[in-house]
């Protein structure tokens, strides 16, 4: 009877060009571009016990040491979906221990880091059971990315450090809807290599629409066809901007993508308004700081009210001073300081 064991730590990521809308089986309606964070991580240990003759995999998930019913159900469904094509999974029971080092509801995609870590563990086990003919690192992460995608689309991008692209784009012949790819070092100008992301937490309440429900609202959405074209154009533009180091163009694209995402939610059926008054307050202050004080800062939003303030590393001192000065006008006091990171780490 085999017993397999693997532990990975995987960071979350923040999308600049957003994935919003699916097609087929967990494929994106448009390509997306993100950078992987450094400080906001999920650590997951998977223990797999062989149980030959089972028809489907069984799993139990413990989150921060406690049995977690809802996540167990999601992971069991995930493993069943994978087992339709990955036969070895059917013969195992899985015990999964997972923990996040960042607060729930802070506007950090926990499904990205959670399914990233889980997929990395499963890929490690798969390669241990059935070693491929060539042990190629690129193939390993590509496989992990495609498994992560089935659990949560944005997780496909979290298995790499730095900048990643998920979804087919004419700008990158090797890109795919099935897995994400990492942009090479030479494709990224220095200004975008050490980007900072300070999350301004204006609300830590659970959002009133899940991303899966949000994606579903794009079916038949009046603006969907135009949105998918625009996201594809923005993907091509962003890849070029990242190489050229064009900060003003980056800031424009970043804000426009953030507002597109919320505009889509506001115009869906039913509509959702996830922005809070303090989100608008900070957006206006960011605009003021860029226009009047020439601070090179920009922002993006996830499907929630919290702001990801993005800026180059060289501006860290100025930006932190600016944040502290403005904090007193709000009831929000929480900032989470993160930055572009080097990617997941194998612990065991
Ligand atoms: C707004 O990856 O959470 O964060 O595939 O249903 O798990 P599922 O959705 P998810 O959607 C992420 C949406 C987003 C934008 C992005 O990260 O690209």
């Amino acid at each position: 009877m085999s017993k397999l064991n693997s532990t990975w730590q995987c960071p979350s990521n923040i999308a600049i060009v957003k994935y919003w809308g699916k097609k087929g089986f967990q494929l994106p309606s448009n390509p997306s571009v993100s950078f992987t964070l450094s400080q906001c991580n999920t650590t997951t240990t998977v223990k797999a016990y062989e149980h030959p003759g089972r028809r489907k995999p069984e799993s139990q998930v413990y989150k921060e040491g406690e049995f977690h019913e809802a996540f167990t159900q999601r992971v069991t469904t995930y493993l069943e979906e994978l087992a339709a094509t990955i036969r070895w999974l059917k013969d195992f029971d899985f015990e999964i221990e997972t923990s996040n080092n960042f607060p729930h509801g802070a506007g950090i995609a926990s499904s990205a880091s959670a399914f990233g870590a889980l997929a990395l563990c499963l890929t490690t086990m798969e390669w241990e059971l059935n070693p491929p003919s060539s042990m190629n690192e690129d193939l390993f992460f590509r496989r992990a990315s495609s498994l992560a995608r089935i659990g949560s689309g944005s997780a496909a991008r979290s298995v790499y450090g730095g900048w990643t692209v998920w979804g087919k784009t004419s700008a990158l012949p090797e890109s795919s809807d099935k897995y994400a790819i990492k942009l090479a070092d030479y494709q990224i100008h220095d200004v975008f290599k050490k980007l900072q992301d300070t999350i301004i937490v204006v609300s830590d309440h659970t959002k009133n629409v899940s991303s899966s429900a949000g994606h579903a609202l794009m079916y038949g959405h009046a603006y969907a066809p135009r949105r998918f074209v625009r996201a594809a154009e923005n993907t091509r533009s962003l890849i070029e901007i990242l190489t050229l180091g064009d900060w003003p163009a980056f800031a424009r694209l970043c804000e426009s993508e953030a507002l597109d995402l919320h505009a889509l939610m506001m115009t869906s059926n039913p509509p959702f308004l996830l922005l809070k008054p303090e989100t608008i307050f900070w957006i206006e202050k960011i605009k003021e700081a860029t226009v009047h004080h020439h601070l090179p800062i920009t922002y993006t939003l996830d499907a929630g009210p919290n702001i990801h303030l993005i800026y180059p590393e060289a501006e860290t001192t100025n930006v932190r001073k600016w944040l502290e000065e403005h904090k007193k006008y709000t009831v929000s006091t929480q900032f989470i300081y993160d930055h572009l990171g080097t990617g997941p780490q194998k612990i065991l």
Side-chain angles (χ1 to χ4, degrees), residues 114-300:
F115 280 98
L118 180 53
L120 285 158
C121 292
L122 294 176
T123 309
T124 304
M125 293 173 164
E126 178 169 84
W127 280 39
E128 209 175 301
L129 271 178
N130 307 305
S133 45
S134 69
M135 288 286 194
N136 174 318
E137 209 177 88
D138 285 351
L139 280 182
F140 176 88
F141 287 104
R142 193 165 282 192
R143 174 70 172 162
S145 177
S146 69
L147 299 189
R149 181 201 102 230
I150 310 286
S152 180
S154 53
R157 301 184 307 242
S158 260
V159 304
Y160 307 99
W163 286 92
T164 69
V165 177
W166 171 42
K168 192 74 193 148
T169 164
S170 57
L172 302 167
E174 68 282 25
S175 60
S176 168
D177 283 349
K178 294 195 170 155
Y179 48 80
I181 55 170
K182 181 178 160 61
L183 291 178
D185 209 43
Y186 75 86
Q187 287 169 295
I188 311 293
H189 188 279
D190 280 352
V191 72
F192 298 122
K193 277 187 183 152
K194 291 190 175 169
L195 274 193
Q196 307 294 300
D197 177 6
T198 298
I199 301 128
I200 305 175
V201 183
V202 304
S203 164
D204 57 6
H205 293 144
T206 312
K207 10 181 222 191
N208 49 6
V209 56
S210 71
S211 5
S212 296
H215 288 290
L217 293 173
M218 289 299 279
Y219 291 114
H221 192 300
Y223 302 138
R226 183 63 199 123
R227 161 64 195 164
F228 299 145
V229 172
R230 192 159 138 113
E233 287 164 3
N234 282 345
T235 297
R236 288 193 293 273
S237 304
L238 181 55
I239 291 168
E240 199 179 319
I241 289 167
L242 291 176
T243 309
L244 295 175
D246 185 344
W247 179 268
F250 174 75
R252 269 196 308 274
L253 188 148
C254 202
E255 294 172 19
S256 141
E257 274 289 317
L259 297 182
D260 260 21
L261 173 69
H262 283 263
L264 290 165
M265 289 188 277
M266 286 182 215
T267 50
S268 63
N269 183 16
F272 284 97
L273 177 60
L274 301 185
L275 304 176
K276 299 279 180 215
E278 285 203 357
T279 318
I280 309 292
F281 167 85
W282 281 105
I283 289 177
E284 285 179 348
K285 290 297 159 200
I286 293 166
K287 267 265 142 322
E288 233 174 77
T290 52
V291 175
H292 300 304
H293 309 291
H294 306 290
L295 258 189
I297 56 179
T298 184
Y299 69 89
T300 188

Side-chain angles (χ1 to χ4, degrees), residues 15 19-20 22 26 74 111 152-154 157 211-212 215 302:
Y19 145 58
W20 200 243
K22 304 187 194 201
Q26 193 58 12
R74 186 162 174 191
S111 63
S152 180
S154 53
R157 301 184 307 242
S211 5
S212 296
H215 288 290
D302 236 326

Side-chain angles (χ1 to χ4, degrees), residues 56-75:
K56 47 186 194 174
E58 300 277 331
S59 74
Q60 291 206 311
V61 184
Y62 296 84
K63 207 166 167 211
E64 275 96 43
E66 305 250 327
F67 177 69
H68 200 289
E69 180 79 45
F71 204 35
T72 296
Q73 270 173 25
R74 186 162 174 191
V75 168

